Amino acid sequence: IRLDPQMFEAYRNLGHLEWTEGHPDPARAALKKALELSPDDPYAHYYIGRLELDLQNYPEALGNLDKSKSVWPQDAEFDLLAAEGYASLHRTADGRSLLARVQHFDLTTPQAVRLGALRLACQQPEEGIAVFERLMSKFPNSAWAQFDVALAHLEARQPAESERIAHSSPE
């Protein structure tokens, strides 16, 4: 940066390093400078979008991430975070698109629970219930899995089915 203050890549890389080190304010400043110098740089938009996503500043995050889709990673955790942002902003079509991608990943159990909840939040009750039913099949003796299926049915406005499942649980 001292050698060439107009080199946007240097600011972008500094911003990325500051973000990965957990320094959001210096990261944001460097990435904004990179975008001043190169407003269409998808990587700078991606990194500042990730930074804001981590901080749950969803409008700012998704505004930048929308400008960087060409460089998005194939990463379930990122897609779930972005889908949470879209759901919170009531951009359900965008959330659904990401969730369709996520379902093809090998998810951890907590990620699968988030996927099911996000399917419900993005107004896909059948898909959300299906996720929770798969978890209940995988963990048949787990009260939490039965509870999540019952809750999913309740969220989907199926109170009778929710009650049936809840009563089948010994806990």
Side-chain angles (χ1 to χ4, degrees), residues 49-121:
R50 284 300 303 262
L51 165 76
E52 298 297 349
L53 191 62
D54 289 348
L55 297 172
Q56 297 181 343
N57 297 329
Y58 295 130
E60 182 73 21
L62 297 172
N64 279 287
L65 289 172
D66 287 342
K67 295 174 184 173
S68 69
K69 288 193 176 182
S70 64
V71 298
W72 282 18
Q74 293 290 316
D75 176 38
E77 191 60 31
F78 166 72
D79 287 348
L80 289 168
L81 286 171
E84 286 170 6
Y86 284 131
S88 77
L89 297 178
H90 307 288
R91 290 178 56 183
T92 54
D94 292 316
R96 288 181 196 142
S97 175
L98 278 178
L99 298 176
R101 232 171 65 145
V102 170
Q103 72 185 9
H104 300 292
F105 289 111
D106 185 24
L107 301 177
T108 65
T109 299
Q111 287 173 330
V113 170
R114 287 172 54 208
L115 172 61
L118 285 166
R119 288 286 195 181
L120 294 170

Side-chain angles (χ1 to χ4, degrees), residues 108-168:
T108 65
T109 299
Q111 287 173 330
V113 170
R114 287 172 54 208
L115 172 61
L118 285 166
R119 288 286 195 181
L120 294 170
C122 288
Q123 301 170 356
Q124 294 182 304
E126 294 81 18
E127 291 86 345
I129 289 168
V131 170
F132 289 119
E133 286 177 343
R134 283 192 300 275
L135 285 167
M136 192 168 72
S137 295
K138 187 175 178 180
F139 302 99
N141 299 319
S142 297
W144 67 265
Q146 289 177 323
F147 176 81
D148 283 349
V149 171
L151 186 60
H153 280 284
L154 192 60
E155 289 283 329
R157 294 178 171 41
Q158 299 173 358
E161 185 63 13
S162 177
E163 186 176 359
R164 184 192 67 74
I165 293 167
H167 285 301
S168 71

